[in-house]
Amino acid sequence: MYEQVSHSLLNAILDDLKPEIRRQNLRHFYTRLGANFYAIYSLFFTLYGHREDFKEQMLRLVETMAEGYINRSSELEGIDIQREQDHNWFLSQNWVGMALYTNGFAESLDDLADKTPYFQELGINMVHIMPILMCPAGKSDGGYAISNFRQIDDRIGDLKDLHRVAEEFRKRDILLVLDIVLNHTSDEHEWAQKAMSGDPRYQDYYFMFDNREVPDMFEQNMPEIFHESDPGNFTWNEETQKWVMTVFHNYQWDLNYSNPTVLIEMLDIILFWANQGVDVLRLDAVAFLWKKIGSASQNERNAHLILQLMKDCCQVTAPGVLFIAEAIVAPVEIIKYFGEDAIIAKECEIAYNATLMALLWDGIATKNTKLLYQGIKNLPDKLERATWLNYVRCHDDIGFGFDDNDVRASGYEPFAHRKFLVDYFSGQFNASPARGMVFMFNNETGDARICGSLASLAGLESALENDDQTLISASINKILLLHSIIMSFGGIPLLYSGDALGVTNDYSYQDNPSKSDDSRWINRPTIDWERAELRKKQGTVEYTLFNGLKKMIAIRKETSAFADFNNRELLDISNEHLICFVRFNPLRPADRVMVIANFDAKPQYLDLESLNGKGINFYNHVVDLYTGSSPTQHDRQIILQPYQFYWLTEI
Ligand code: OTU
């Protein structure tokens, strides 16, 4: 948009640019800057317009984008232009992701590059390599307490190795995803160290207070994240005799985005990694970016403005790069991280579907789909050009953060129901085969979350221990069932390292003093590659899971109705153990797939009359894409075995 105030400021900024920048050929940069400048200016003005140094900061912001553009390789610029032309590319059903820790999956980044064929074997073409940057040993929060945003942890490799990974991936059309930890730094980061030595410039990068007055005001409304290990949101710092805001661990200092320098530094880091050949950036803990006294300091409007600004700026320099919002918050809040509008107020193209994840686990524990239905029904439609990251497990805990109204509408009392879920997955509930751990139990509120690997939560660990074949196959079927939903729901499925091989809990963290107070380590596995060979041996758990998932992935890629264009219709049916939805290709509505999944441990049936003609036409020849055969029908009913799913289509 053309508007006089911002346009004359833009002209002034272009005159003031450093000569090194002015001398460059910046054609594409200028066209994009011109297109986005009004939005960038308006957002920056809303956040920092009251400051005396506003214009200087604005100049610095433009210089940061220009420098980022100058450093972008022509190969990456080519990809930008290609993606600009095919701007819906990431909504295709072709993408299937996997998240992993370098040192759990491989020996090092170099070794990970050598293991690329494993991804291809399974069909994975988007790999989220979890934090790889410098972290203090011990006080690392699994890589999310970073002491240097530009240096790769030398225990796993260096920038050269990452370039090799990026190159190997690109050759094979695999997308590379890396983290940007925007909300905080390690207390060993140079900025924190300078702040500790008393430098006021760097003290302004954080929230530091001489006494408890302000911290106490904040505390009144701020929930605690790691209540058991790190209670409170502030930590006393001896060196400076100040209280520092530390929402996560006491060694993770929250960055202060009311200081524009912080925003510009972090944008510079985003652009730096974009220029290393990263396709997608996972923005960690985005809900926490803005702190405000009197609020929970999560999901604040200004947090959204910061993300819009980062998106607008990144589009100018590296428009081919996508953002994933990691905001594990209430369903109505998650959706806002896509932005308000697909074009002028865009934030992240992709967001973790934490709602679906928690709902799926509810289905497993209750063997019932009431809450799953309710939750999906109330999941708002996304913006255009936005997509979910659908997952079952990740490196974190599981929080049962459903909407209380949905829980009530399903006939449960929220507190008691959550307690049931925690008891079920921690194996305290009678007859539960799950082997999870309670995470961050809060005595005052009764809140708790759950850790554990997918296989152990689904009962595989206990079944193997008891050598119970029936339970072993039930747990395998549950694992496949959960994946059948994330692969067909709409969005990019994100598998978690180890889950395709049925890797169970790793208890070794309990003997490591720097890990033992964080049970999330139980679900951060080290892959045993010798054992992984069993995926090639028929009859093993590894074989059944790996090949089941491999087949699902291959079918997904061939099924255009599985692309994500808000093209899903949830069907009301008369059986509360089943979930049933239809996916259709918006361009060719006759291409439809009906997904039916049975969450019960007993066979269930779907009464075709209850569909009222919705879904697909069962008078035609119907076939299950997964097995290639027709579904079992009897008397106008479709029969599903325990934990069975169908992907039905008419042929
Ligand atoms: C994220 O987690 C990371 O995934 C965690 O591994 C980190 O510990 C954390 O940020 C701090 O960097 O912030 O918006 O319930 O779900 O902390 C959600 C715990 C987050 C995690 C939560 C999450």
Side-chain angles (χ1 to χ4, degrees), residues 37-55:
F37 191 75
Y38 176 67
I40 291 172
Y41 161 82
S42 305
L43 290 164
F44 205 69
F45 189 83
T46 309
L47 290 163
Y48 310 113
H50 58 280
R51 293 175 56 109
E52 269 176 23
D53 62 352
F54 173 74
K55 280 191 185 159

Side-chain angles (χ1 to χ4, degrees), residues 101 141-142 144-145 179 181 184 225-226 248-249 252 282 284-288 326-329 394-397 399 439 449 518 520 524:
Y101 269 112
D141 187 24
Y144 288 94
D179 285 85
V181 183
H184 42 258
I225 307 299
F226 298 136
F248 292 90
H249 292 97
Q252 282 164 306
R282 172 196 183 272
D284 182 61
V286 287
F288 295 82
E326 193 258 352
I328 313 303
V329 294
C394 72
H395 69 292
D396 279 333
D397 48 291
F439 182 65
R449 282 118 73 186
D518 188 342
R520 290 177 297 172
R524 295 173 180 175

Side-chain angles (χ1 to χ4, degrees), residues 115 179 185 190 239 339 443 547 564:
K115 292 200 158 59
D179 285 85
T185 73
E190 189 191 351
E239 283 91 334
N443 233 333
N547 288 289
D564 188 19

